């Protein structure tokens, strides 16, 4: 697991994406499907800040599966929320019984689609998370802005509505998007992250806000 300072940086970066990502919101959200499922007992893989936050929004019967735990027998159906780092994903898949792998819900940053396709999980539920959990046990801060007051978190797939319902129980917003709208939103977030990470690597010590406000940093590269 990353140390606390690195973890806090990632969390704030996720929220900053929401605050500065402003294009194509209207067209993307027109494809939002407003469906609400009930919050059902689920397995949550990862006991960090995001995993605990999802559990706090949940119901009796939820199980948090931490590193080293055996895969739980119950609940035997429903979503399996994967709240781990990307480098732990293969281990999570390997530990999940084959008959339950279609229930895995991936919440990671990055373009996971080719990686999931190669493992026969290309149709699994994925989510684009635009909220931050500053400290373990604290309530998440939703990525709601003046430009996007309806929020930016989105999901697509079998358990998208279940995630939407769970987040709603915690006062968070989530859009269930069709395939095309979700893919577009995924690329948008990926491009934003890549661009700002490059600027950050080229200008050590510069804040994300400084890079966003000073276009000469970007043009000089």
């Amino acid at each position: 697991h990353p140390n606390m300072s690195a973890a806090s940086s990632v969390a704030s970066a996720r929220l900053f994406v929401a605050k500065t990502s402003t294009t194509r919101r209207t067209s993307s959200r027109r494809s939002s499907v407003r469906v609400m499922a009930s919050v059902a007992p689920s397995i949550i893989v990862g006991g960090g800040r995001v995993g605990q936050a999802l559990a706090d929004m949940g119901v009796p019967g939820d199980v948090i599966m931490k590193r080293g735990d055996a895969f739980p027998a119950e609940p035997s159906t429903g979503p399996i929320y994967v709240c781990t780092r990307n480098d732990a994903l293969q281990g999570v898949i390997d530990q999940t019984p084959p008959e339950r792998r279609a229930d895995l819900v991936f919440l990671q940053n990055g373009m996971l689609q080719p990686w999931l396709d190669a493992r026969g999980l290309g149709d699994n539920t994925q989510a684009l998370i635009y909220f931050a959990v500053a400290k373990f046990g604290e309530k998440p801060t939703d990525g709601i802005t003046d430009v996007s007051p309806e929020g930016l978190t989105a999901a697509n797939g079998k358990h998208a509505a279940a995630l939407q319902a769970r987040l709603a129980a915690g006062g968070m917003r989530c859009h269930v998007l069709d395939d095309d709208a979700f893919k577009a939103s995924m690329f948008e977030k990926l491009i934003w992250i890549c661009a700002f990470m490059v600027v950050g690597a080229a200008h050590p010590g510069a804040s994300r806000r400084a890079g966003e406000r000073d276009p000469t940093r970007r043009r000089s590269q």
Side-chain angles (χ1 to χ4, degrees), residues 50-167:
V50 173
Q52 186 60 54
L54 289 183
D56 290 343
M57 301 175 199
V59 294
D62 284 341
V63 174
I64 296 180
M65 178 180 161
K66 298 181 180 180
R67 182 178 298 179
D69 290 349
F71 191 87
E74 297 291 338
S76 59
T77 60
I80 303 170
Y81 297 108
V82 184
C83 307
T84 67
R85 289 169 40 151
N86 294 45
D87 58 7
L89 291 180
Q90 187 61 58
V92 172
I93 293 170
D94 292 343
Q95 194 173 2
T96 304
E99 66 274 13
R100 294 298 317 275
R101 290 177 185 173
D103 292 317
L104 291 169
V105 178
F106 295 95
L107 310 178
Q108 289 70 28
N109 277 329
M111 184 68 179
L112 293 184
Q113 194 63 52
W115 191 87
L116 294 175
D117 288 339
R119 288 155 181 78
L121 301 175
D123 292 332
N124 276 58
T125 304
Q126 297 184 59
L128 303 172
I129 301 301
Y130 283 94
F131 61 76
V133 186
K135 294 181 181 179
F136 183 86
E138 287 191 358
K139 184 176 179 180
T141 301
D142 205 349
I144 295 175
T145 70
D146 292 341
V147 174
S148 301
E150 76 280 13
L152 297 170
T153 294
N156 169 265
K158 175 181 177 181
H159 293 304
L163 176 61
Q164 181 189 53
R166 182 172 290 260
L167 293 178

Side-chain angles (χ1 to χ4, degrees), residues 197-218:
M197 294 306 104
V198 168
V199 172
H203 299 277
S207 69
R208 288 180 298 276
R209 243 174 237 288
E212 189 271 334
R213 290 174 177 171
D214 183 1
T216 60
R217 291 182 183 271
R218 302 190 295 274

